[in-house]
Amino acid sequence: MQQELPGPLVDYLRHSRVALALASAHDDNRLLMVNDPFSALTGYTAEDVVGRNCRLLQREAQNVQPRAKLREFLAQPDQTNVRTPIVNFRKDGTPFVNLLYMSRLRSIDGRSDFIFASQFDVSRSQPEMLADYDEQLRATLGKLVPIAGDAGIVVEGTLLTIANSAAIVAQAKMMLADLESAAGA
């Protein structure tokens, strides 16, 4: 069953400069849409990933703690969002540490049909790049809220999770170091 995506939401995601994906909040949380910055970041086109679960980006990476956080978010309908660094792989097999942000989008009647996700490569980023991304994500969410509202959708818990950039960069660098030492072993 193909979910009908609200036109203004589709237009907004399409024109965003931030890597974004929209997934179903049901079944296997299959991707419904990805934008061009997502494809530029991952190397995967919409044709490659729409209809599939985004975990395909994880390949063989362990990601024990991030996976636990994501499973908890998906299992707890009252948890509005999650933000975690996670090891992902580009289509060409190149690993990167993705700062993944996911938020539920709810209809006015409380149904959650969509999961909004943003991706950012923190593998080699400097703190100022992450601060710029945080600002871009904050602006993206600020613009998304009224557009989603016009479509009868509520974006939950948006700005509260955008914090602690330095700690996230440090955690991402540790994950990348672990990944590189495993590859060199």
Side-chain angles (χ1 to χ4, degrees), residues 122-171:
V122 291
S123 301
R124 310 227 185 265
S125 69
Q126 300 299 317
E128 60 274 6
M129 288 175 66
L130 185 56
D132 183 53
Y133 162 73
D134 276 352
E135 188 54 43
Q136 285 183 35
L137 181 57
R138 186 176 287 114
T140 295
L141 293 171
K143 292 175 187 170
L144 176 62
V145 169
I147 290 168
D150 288 346
I153 297 172
V154 177
V155 182
E156 296 188 324
T158 53
L159 301 178
L160 297 177
T161 61
I162 301 174
N164 304 321
S165 295
I168 290 169
V169 168
Q171 184 177 1

Side-chain angles (χ1 to χ4, degrees), residues 50-118:
V50 168
R52 300 176 68 186
N53 185 291
C54 209
R55 74 177 150 270
L56 72 99
L57 297 175
Q58 295 179 41
R59 295 192 185 180
E60 68 277 357
Q62 291 297 311
N63 286 322
V64 174
Q65 289 177 328
R67 284 183 184 197
K69 283 178 130 179
L70 296 175
R71 277 194 299 275
E72 179 183 347
F73 168 75
L74 294 170
Q76 302 293 328
D78 293 338
Q79 186 177 342
T80 58
N81 58 55
V82 64
R83 189 178 197 199
T84 186
I86 187 166
V87 175
N88 282 170
F89 293 84
R90 292 180 174 83
K91 187 176 181 178
D92 69 5
T94 307
F96 70 102
V97 179
N98 178 11
L99 178 55
L100 176 63
Y101 170 82
M102 292 176 21
S103 176
R104 297 183 193 285
L105 301 181
R106 294 195 191 276
S107 61
I108 303 271
D109 66 6
R111 271 188 357 265
S112 177
D113 290 325
F114 306 112
I115 296 175
F116 168 87
S118 171

